[in-house]
Amino acid sequence: MIRAQGLSKSFGKIHAVDNVSFSAEDGKITALLGPNGAGKSTTLRMLYTVLKPDAGQALIDGIDNQIDLQGARRKLGVLPHGAGLYPHLTALENIRYYGRLSGLAGTVLERRVAELTDSLDLGSIADRHAKGFSQGERTRVALARALVHEPNNLLLDEPTNGLDVMATRSLRKLLLELKSQGHCILLSSHIMQEVAALADQIVIIAHGRVVADGTPEKILARTGADDLESAFVTLVGSEAAT
Amino acid sequence: MTQLTTVWAKEVLDNLRDRRTLLSSLIFGPLFGPILFVFMINIMLSEATSDVDELLELPVTGQEHAEELMIWLGGNGVEIVPGPEDAREAVSRGDVSMVLIIPESTGEQMRAGQPAPLQLVVNNARNRDRGDVRKARRLLNAYRNQVVAFRLQARGINPLVLHPLVIDEVDVSTAVGRALVVLGMMTYFILFSMLMGGLYLAIDTTAGERERGSLEPLLTLAVPTGRLILGKVAATCTFMLAALAITVTAFSISINFIDLQALGMQANFGPGIAISVFAVMLPFTLFGAGLMTLVASFTRSYKEAQTYLTVVLLVPTLPIIFAAIFSLDPSLELMTVPSLSQHLLITTLMKGDALKIEWILVSASSTLMAGALFIWLAGLFYRRESILG
């Protein structure tokens, strides 16, 4: 469970995020939807503790991430935008590194690595150096790495960027599986179809502010649009006009 | 394994697998110095010893025009050989170091007491010949002075009127002294190879990590930033230590190819001295690793870091050049300057002199303190949000 309460962040004169509040429930996929530069990444970065908000709070399973930084981090699995692997380590070594840093060791670690190898279908690349991985392979390993310490909450910034159709489908399947296990999943995207296919809850952000928040049905009802894309254009467009 | 050792182990393994890092940090860097060093010292030695009295071979064209001069030169350690056909060509090609040309008119001019122009064809661009040329010039001048004295005496004048002042130059620079200047460069080579040893790690663990996009996920883990930095610095130190060990070993082997005894120095750069040099240099690891990590942590990319760090490679030379120019002797105050203190300590060791324990303590503690400061500053940079770009 992730809650953003009045998060704000400025870079110089630019108000990247302005009083953003929403919550992402356990067992649901919540999508931050918005055009490029709307403040999605900045919001996520404040939630996953690499940026400090100028104002507001971020609660991870009820833990304020500014008060108990490491406690909040333990409950977070993060796949940042363009997450890189260590090219000279194998897929499994990359995963083990994060596992060890998260306090896993010995058979516990190996069991967890084996589980992830299985669920993320890493068998064929397990012992290959990450140097030559495709974008899809990289994303799968980065995801396994983010999940190694079994965090309840998973934050993904534009996870399907650069993935081909098959890789996107397998990622979707995996996210749905994690959702069914009761994880709280929060992802950002600017791709309508992806959000429509996955999200239980949508938070639309434009110009650093939340312009709509709710289930896809609720958003459609509110805008009177037939599909998500028209609803998005209506919401973001009206925001841009003000 | 603690988080710190996990970071350390990963960085060491990661970089051991990178062939480029391995080559430059553990092979080129540490071996470049010792090899170049032997080369340079041997050239210096051969120059220094060429001055010593040995037969000078002097090609002369037109020997028959100045027979007295030839006899005199022959009596003063010169072996006269026939000059080549084209003197200029032969000298500039380097076939001979110089040629003395005696024109036909010389004998007549000498007898008439007129100035007789001789030509000494030399190539001043060739360092190796300088000693020979200097010697030839000195002999010719001596002969000239002798002729002057005879002529004055023949005219009833005491030749001493030509010498109102007698200047005796006492050159205290010895071959040993000159070689010591070069030996002093050993410190720089050691410092250089240590920095080279850690260079790619310092970049890879900071700017490289950021450029690769692996820094952001790393910073979301429940690991205090200070521990990440320390683990990374420890890995950099490990590579620097390996480079130090390799380079000191290489020096202790390569120095056997230098005839140190000819310089009156102890030829023993044996295990004892090698271990002392290693120990004296040890604190510099933290200093170098801290400095490089700090510089790399505020650069934005691998390339930028590389550019700045090449400048950093030169920084430790400055105090050494300073020491050479002002011929500084070790003192307690100078021991507070990192790199200079190591230089002075090693030079003292090389001279075979004893080190004062307080020198070692001040050198080590000031170097370690500066290193700790750099690491602390690097930590501050790492905690800035803008590190993610």
Side-chain angles (χ1 to χ4, degrees):
Chain A
M1 166 95 174
I2 293 170
R3 272 174 82 151
Q5 291 177 335
L7 288 177
S8 296
K9 181 78 184 174
S10 302
F11 299 106
K13 283 186 180 155
I14 302 159
H15 298 288
V17 173
D18 186 8
N19 196 22
V20 163
S21 301
F22 64 87
S23 56
E25 311 278 332
D26 287 349
K28 282 188 177 159
I29 296 179
T30 307
L32 287 179
L33 183 64
N36 290 325
K40 305 184 297 284
S41 288
T42 306
T43 304
L44 284 177
R45 280 174 157 190
M46 285 190 278
L47 293 172
Y48 65 65
T49 74
V50 298
L51 287 185
K52 256 200 181 69
D54 296 335
Q57 274 186 310
L59 300 173
I60 316 298
D61 288 348
I63 301 170
D64 185 330
N65 72 7
Q66 289 176 79
I67 293 170
D68 182 3
L69 178 65
Q70 307 303 351
R73 283 178 174 174
R74 262 176 230 119
K75 300 196 171 286
L76 287 175
V78 183
L79 184 69
H81 182 63
L85 304 175
Y86 298 107
H88 300 291
L89 299 189
T90 66
L92 295 192
E93 283 167 344
N94 267 288
I95 301 168
R96 276 191 205 110
Y97 180 45
Y98 272 44
R100 291 204 181 97
L101 286 177
S102 303
L104 303 179
T107 51
V108 182
L109 175 62
E110 286 315 310
R111 195 172 336 119
R112 183 66 191 141
V113 169
E115 274 170 31
L116 289 165
T117 308
D118 200 39
S119 62
L120 282 154
D121 193 21
L122 299 176
S124 60
I125 56 167
D127 295 315
R128 264 175 50 200
H129 285 195
K131 208 171 187 173
F133 285 4
S134 69
Q135 183 61 38
E137 289 165 340
R138 258 203 299 276
T139 305
R140 271 174 13 230
V141 176
L143 193 59
R145 188 172 72 171
L147 292 169
V148 69
H149 58 297
E150 297 186 84
N152 183 41
N153 307 281
L154 184 60
L155 273 64
L156 310 98
D157 195 0
E158 311 261 3
T160 55
N161 248 17
L163 295 188
D164 62 23
V165 180
M166 295 314 287
T168 306
R169 283 174 69 106
S170 79
L171 179 67
R172 263 186 218 154
K173 202 177 126 230
L174 188 86
L175 292 181
L176 290 170
E177 222 170 274
L178 288 166
K179 165 189 151 181
S180 69
Q181 291 165 18
H183 288 280
C184 164
I185 297 165
L186 176 62
L187 58 90
S188 75
S189 180
H190 60 268
I191 305 164
M192 216 62 56
Q193 299 86 320
E194 180 176 301
V195 171
L198 275 176
D200 303 303
Q201 198 80 18
I202 299 174
V203 180
I204 298 181
I205 294 189
H207 307 287
R209 272 174 292 209
V210 175
V211 293
D213 180 0
T215 58
E217 296 76 29
K218 207 176 123 192
I219 286 174
L220 289 179
R222 192 188 132 186
T223 53
D226 296 333
D227 59 81
L228 211 53
E229 190 167 318
S230 334
F232 179 76
V233 172
T234 312
L235 286 161
V236 173
S238 67
E239 171 67 19
T242 54
Chain B
M1 261 207 297
T2 67
Q3 288 175 327
L4 198 152
T5 51
T6 302
V7 174
W8 171 81
K10 178 259 157 193
E11 297 297 351
V12 170
L13 176 72
D14 195 354
N15 283 283
L16 277 177
R17 284 187 186 163
D18 185 353
R19 203 165 298 152
R20 185 179 55 168
T21 303
L22 212 57
L23 273 180
S24 83
S25 50
L26 299 185
I27 302 202
F28 295 147
L31 296 184
F32 169 75
I35 293 169
L36 187 71
F37 187 73
V38 169
F39 216 65
M40 281 171 52
I41 298 238
N42 277 336
I43 287 177
M44 282 207 63
L45 277 179
S46 71
E47 254 190 70
T49 47
S50 72
D51 244 2
V52 180
D53 283 328
E54 56 183 42
L55 215 57
L56 172 69
E57 198 182 270
L58 179 65
V60 179
T61 312
Q63 292 177 30
E64 63 280 13
H65 306 310
E67 276 164 8
E68 275 174 53
L69 173 59
M70 294 304 111
I71 294 165
W72 187 87
L73 285 174
N76 282 278
V78 178
E79 192 195 343
I80 309 283
V81 296
E85 205 114 308
D86 186 345
R88 280 166 189 269
E89 181 64 23
V91 172
S92 69
R93 261 208 315 264
D95 298 346
V96 289
S97 55
M98 73 199 120
V99 177
L100 180 65
I101 302 176
I102 303 173
E104 217 182 311
S105 54
T106 304
E108 208 169 304
Q109 285 163 333
M110 290 286 282
R111 277 188 297 279
Q114 284 169 351
L118 304 185
Q119 266 190 333
L120 188 63
V121 183
V122 301
N123 181 358
N124 275 329
R126 282 173 61 87
N127 260 337
R128 288 182 50 181
D129 301 338
R130 269 204 194 140
D132 284 356
V133 171
R134 210 183 312 131
K135 193 167 169 185
R137 212 178 270 142
R138 202 176 58 226
L139 286 169
L140 288 171
N141 279 333
Y143 180 72
R144 186 190 57 191
N145 291 342
Q146 207 175 320
V147 173
V148 169
F150 283 143
R151 285 182 183 174
L152 286 173
Q153 251 165 357
R155 286 162 180 77
I157 300 169
N158 187 344
L160 287 179
V161 297
L162 282 180
H163 302 282
L165 292 176
V166 180
I167 296 152
D168 261 341
E169 195 175 278
V170 184
D171 184 4
V172 295
S173 91
T174 55
V176 182
R178 270 170 278 159
L180 259 182
V181 174
V182 183
L183 278 180
M185 295 181 61
M186 182 196 253
T187 334
Y188 177 64
F189 284 129
I190 295 177
L191 289 176
F192 175 81
S193 76
M194 285 173 78
L195 290 172
M196 276 297 280
L199 179 78
Y200 281 101
L201 267 88
I203 299 178
D204 187 67
T205 56
T206 52
E209 184 111 63
R210 179 169 29 196
E211 198 165 270
R212 234 185 280 124
S214 52
L215 184 61
E216 189 163 343
L218 186 62
L219 291 177
T220 67
L221 296 178
V223 185
T225 313
R227 239 172 263 173
L228 283 179
I229 301 258
L230 284 180
K232 285 162 178 292
V233 168
T236 307
C237 285
T238 307
F239 267 64
M240 289 176 76
L241 281 179
L244 173 62
I246 295 171
T247 207
V248 169
T249 311
F251 264 119
S252 67
I253 294 167
S254 73
I255 214 142
N256 292 322
F257 295 96
I258 302 175
D259 189 6
L260 278 176
Q261 251 150 4
L263 295 172
M265 296 176 66
Q266 53 171 7
N268 172 30
F269 189 97
I273 299 246
I275 288 167
S276 305
V277 168
F278 186 87
V280 162
M281 278 295 184
L282 212 54
F284 190 78
T285 347
L286 198 71
F287 180 89
L291 180 63
M292 290 194 292
T293 306
L294 173 62
V295 172
S297 70
F298 60 74
T299 55
R300 303 221 154 266
S301 66
Y302 205 97
K303 262 228 159 94
E304 199 187 344
Q306 222 169 357
T307 311
Y308 283 118
L309 283 180
T310 350
V311 179
V312 170
L313 282 182
L314 297 176
V315 170
T317 34
L318 298 179
I320 295 175
I321 292 170
F322 195 75
I325 292 175
F326 295 99
S327 12
L328 296 177
D329 283 324
S331 71
L332 203 56
E333 295 82 63
L334 293 180
M335 288 302 142
T336 56
V337 185
S339 102
L340 179 59
S341 67
Q342 279 83 20
H343 167 69
L344 292 172
L345 289 174
I346 289 184
T347 319
T348 310
L349 272 174
M350 291 301 299
K351 281 187 203 162
D353 295 346
L355 296 181
K356 287 192 186 154
I357 185 85
E358 64 263 32
W359 290 352
I360 298 171
L361 289 177
V362 172
S363 163
S365 56
S366 64
T367 306
L368 288 175
M369 259 155 35
L373 178 71
F374 290 144
I375 294 167
W376 179 72
L377 285 173
L380 289 189
F381 272 107
Y382 236 75
R383 283 185 193 95
R384 289 186 320 167
E385 293 178 344
S386 55
I387 192 151
L388 296 177

